[in-house]
Amino acid sequence: MSQAMKILVIGGVAAGASCAARARRLCETAEITVLERGPDVSFANCGLPYHVGGEIPTRDLLAVQTPATLKGLLNLDVRTRCEAVRIDRAGKRVEAKNLVDGSSEWLSYDKLMLSPGAAPIRPPIPGIDDARVFTLRSLEDMDRVIAATEAGMRAVAIGAGFIGLEMADQLQRKGLSVELVELQKQVLPQLDAKMTMLLESELRHHEIGVTLGDGIECFVPTPDALECHLKSGKVLKADFVVLSMGVKPDTQIARDAGLTLGPRGHIVVDHFQRTSDPDIYAAGDAVETAELVFGDRIALPMGGPANRQGRIAADHMLRPGAAQPYPGSLGTAIVRVFDVAAGVTGWTEKRMREANKPCASVIVNDHQHATYFPGARPLTLKLVWDTRDGRVVGAQATGSEGIDKRLDVIAASIQGKATIDDLCHLELAYAPPFGSAKDIINLAGFAATNLRDGLFEQAGELPFGDAQIVDVRPKPVADAFPLTGSINIPFPTLRANLDKLDRSKPVITVCAFGKMSYFAARVLAQSGFDVKSFSGGIKGNIDPRSPAKLPTA
């Protein structure tokens, strides 16, 4: 009778717990031990901000599994408050330290799984160790934040990525006065700048202070506040500070064991999550994997990829001939800020251009369902594709409703290697309460193929120089929200008013959503004008809560 396989898992939460659970389902006789240095082995860390703000009312809802439930359900030996401190690869054993009593023991393994996760970045700046400066990564962190905050306090959130935005939203809902600081010149730097304007507007609408293009220099304690001194010289006073400046992989144990690491310290794994040691696997926030679209190397600290990677590692440990390789990470993500959602899947245009990959993009606007059905809400979609073959490589969306649906459809399309032509013909669920006969995804495909086929040119960057700006919106709308420096010729009257335009000068057509300006550009192009359509329309390029005014510089 063969000896039972010993599987040792370092780290719980997403990747480690997923690996252990899958391993048990595949092999009832395996000896599976999970080491977790914290008190909680499996919890919903993506839900932490929402319990801080009270939207998730009960803490227990975030504790997905406990050592006792994992023992009962899966017969796992789960040891919390137990830290793996050293890997002896030659002896195939791990030294584990009990953080409660300080004792240590060596645990042997046949297969080892590393899912140590990542730690919040805390840069070495003066004052960062002040007790009023918090991060949010675990249930313990969440408990400390809740204990330290109350309505009426002044909060400063450093970093306007996904977690920073969620925390700003939730702290404001809890009754705190919130200031948000971001080093980049836009909120949510993971998106292209134009696609974040609605988010920024929503933050300001809810009286959250937004400071962009500025970073934290130091924290200075005073008798009545913690002063946040920014690099610009601006000073914000806070009773509470939350850092959301990203994370770094917690991979010292892998480094000490001599495993191959990437340039930023992530554990390098193959398509089956194997490290440079074939008996040691790794998954989750600590690893570097293939990127799905082009195969580049990428590290994504996200729960979805971590769970899938953990499952693949267990498959390869126990049935290597049948295991399917990890296809790569796409980076699909979404955030909600009050009544606005925004998200991304795949590559942004900014990232494509920084990597010198040929691409083009369009921005389209429409509604989440038929406009004649009550409750239609506008949404904006940006589509990015590879100009060499028309393959869709990324998308971003923002609006009030239906954002997740569009991102999910395009994420699936990218994985299926769909082209912009394919998007034109996607047959999506349609009934007036749910969608439109021509979904915004179809419209993005139409716009992309029109651009590729030379049916129009885009004017996507400002300023426009000496071009004539033709506003083709209805006159009452143009009068109520005028565009500086433009001439208003409503589209139905355009053909009869061509003589109002100077044929020797280029023309930029502009409308609210981009569709009518495209129609106008087609009319003018076929009438001999040098014309471009303003990509995305006014709604896709200016603050939607402000009077319509295009910047001139």
Side-chain angles (χ1 to χ4, degrees):
M1 184 174 180
S2 61
Q3 187 176 3
M5 177 181 283
K6 290 184 178 181
I7 298 175
L8 182 58
V9 179
I10 297 176
V13 191
S18 175
C19 176
R22 177 65 171 175
R24 173 58 71 222
R25 288 191 291 272
L26 294 177
C27 183
E28 186 62 25
T29 61
E31 295 180 15
I32 305 172
T33 303
V34 179
L35 307 182
E36 172 55 54
R37 65 186 168 197
D40 305 291
V41 67
S42 181
F43 62 93
N45 54 358
C46 293
L48 301 181
Y50 300 99
H51 183 55
V52 170
E55 283 198 87
I56 297 176
T58 306
R59 185 187 190 277
D60 290 347
L61 294 173
L62 298 175
V64 180
Q65 298 289 348
T66 67
T69 60
L70 288 173
K71 178 65 175 178
L73 290 171
L74 297 167
N75 192 25
L76 302 180
D77 179 7
V78 178
R79 306 184 188 187
T80 56
R81 300 286 191 186
C82 187
E83 182 177 12
V85 295
R86 185 165 40 143
I87 300 171
D88 173 11
R89 289 170 55 191
K92 298 188 73 171
R93 59 180 187 159
V94 170
E95 183 181 4
K97 180 179 181 180
N98 186 313
L99 298 179
V100 177
D101 61 19
S103 63
S104 294
E105 66 175 311
W106 285 94
L107 301 174
S108 62
Y109 67 84
D110 296 306
K111 299 294 182 182
L112 176 62
M113 171 64 169
L114 300 180
S115 55
I121 292 174
R122 295 179 68 95
I125 61 175
I128 198 162
D129 293 326
D130 190 283
R132 289 163 288 188
V133 179
F134 294 80
T135 56
L136 185 65
R137 188 70 180 170
S138 67
L139 288 174
E140 290 179 299
D141 291 340
M142 179 190 72
D143 293 338
R144 286 191 286 266
V145 168
I146 291 173
T149 55
E150 59 184 43
M153 278 186 168
R154 299 163 295 181
V156 173
I158 308 294
F162 288 98
I163 300 299
L165 292 175
E166 289 172 346
M167 285 301 293
D169 174 312
Q170 293 298 310
L171 291 172
Q172 195 269 359
R173 291 173 190 263
K174 193 174 181 179
L176 281 75
S177 171
V178 182
E179 294 278 347
L180 185 63
V181 178
E182 170 54 50
L183 183 61
Q184 303 300 317
K185 294 182 180 180
Q186 64 178 82
V187 299
L188 201 59
Q190 293 88 342
L191 273 63
D192 291 323
K194 284 184 181 180
M195 297 301 294
T196 67
M197 300 177 78
L198 185 60
L199 283 176
E200 182 184 340
S201 174
E202 186 74 359
L203 289 164
R204 297 186 188 278
H205 177 68
H206 284 83
E207 298 182 342
I208 289 180
V210 180
T211 300
L212 302 175
D214 207 349
I216 184 71
E217 182 76 23
C218 64
F219 298 102
V220 178
T222 67
D224 66 337
L226 180 64
E227 291 184 349
C228 305
H229 289 245
L230 305 185
K231 294 182 182 296
S232 65
K234 185 176 181 179
V235 177
L236 300 173
K237 292 188 175 183
D239 302 301
F240 170 86
V241 173
V242 58
L243 298 178
S244 53
M245 304 172 71
V247 295
K248 58 182 179 180
D250 191 357
T251 54
Q252 188 60 47
I253 191 171
R255 185 184 300 276
D256 292 343
L259 298 177
T260 300
L261 303 183
R264 293 187 296 154
H266 297 85
I267 304 169
V268 176
V269 295
D270 66 10
H271 290 299
F272 295 105
Q273 304 303 131
R274 289 178 298 188
T275 69
S276 51
D277 184 321
D279 290 319
I280 301 178
Y281 295 72
D285 295 356
V287 308
E288 175 191 281
T289 67
E291 180 274 325
L292 190 145
V293 180
F294 296 107
D296 300 3
R297 303 300 293 180
I298 190 173
L300 283 177
M302 300 175 68
N307 274 283
R308 296 191 298 277
Q309 291 164 9
R311 177 186 174 94
I312 284 171
D315 276 0
H316 196 263
M317 290 177 188
L318 291 162
R319 49 172 201 161
Q324 295 297 308
Y326 183 65
S329 299
L330 192 54
T332 306
I334 190 170
V335 66
R336 187 205 68 192
V337 176
F338 302 106
D339 294 325
V340 170
V344 60
T345 185
W347 289 66
T348 62
E349 181 179 9
K350 175 173 58 179
R351 183 178 162 204
M352 288 285 288
R353 298 200 183 283
E354 288 174 349
N356 294 316
K357 297 183 185 293
C359 70
S361 69
V362 291
I363 297 176
V364 292
N365 294 273
D366 202 37
H367 295 77
Q368 94 281 18
H369 62 53
T371 55
Y372 58 81
F373 190 86
R377 306 289 295 276
L379 60 88
T380 301
L381 177 67
K382 180 172 184 177
L383 183 69
V384 184
W385 68 94
D386 188 324
T387 52
R388 292 171 295 189
D389 54 12
R391 185 165 55 120
V392 178
V393 299
Q396 299 155 64
T398 185
S400 298
E401 296 181 20
I403 305 306
D404 54 342
K405 170 182 175 180
R406 274 68 188 195
L407 289 173
D408 289 345
V409 168
I410 295 183
S413 298
I414 294 172
Q415 191 152 357
K417 303 187 184 304
T419 66
I420 54 177
D421 293 284
D422 294 324
L423 295 193
C424 296
H425 300 290
L426 279 182
E427 190 169 325
L428 305 174
Y430 163 56
F434 302 103
S436 300
K438 290 186 290 187
D439 190 84
I440 192 170
I441 292 175
N442 301 128
L443 297 181
F446 297 157
T449 54
N450 284 339
L451 183 64
R452 177 201 61 195
D453 296 342
L455 294 178
F456 77 106
E457 291 186 62
Q458 292 188 107
E461 300 296 332
L462 299 173
F464 291 146
D466 295 332
Q468 304 168 90
I469 302 175
V470 179
D471 178 2
V472 298
R473 294 175 298 163
K475 189 175 186 304
V477 177
D479 288 345
F481 302 102
L483 293 176
T484 303
S486 70
I487 176 174
N488 177 230
I489 306 177
F491 177 69
T493 68
L494 180 61
R495 293 178 179 87
N497 286 282
L498 298 180
D499 58 342
K500 293 183 178 180
L501 301 176
D502 185 346
R503 291 180 178 273
S504 67
K505 291 184 177 181
V507 177
I508 306 292
T509 57
V510 178
C511 70
F513 291 104
K515 182 166 68 173
M516 298 308 295
S517 65
Y518 163 67
F519 293 164
R522 289 297 301 147
V523 169
L524 293 174
Q526 294 177 81
S527 300
F529 287 87
D530 175 11
V531 59
K532 294 181 180 179
S533 175
F534 189 41
S535 176
I538 296 168
K539 294 293 186 181
N541 289 278
I542 67 170
D543 185 337
R545 296 188 187 276
S546 301
K549 184 179 180 181
L550 286 174
T552 56

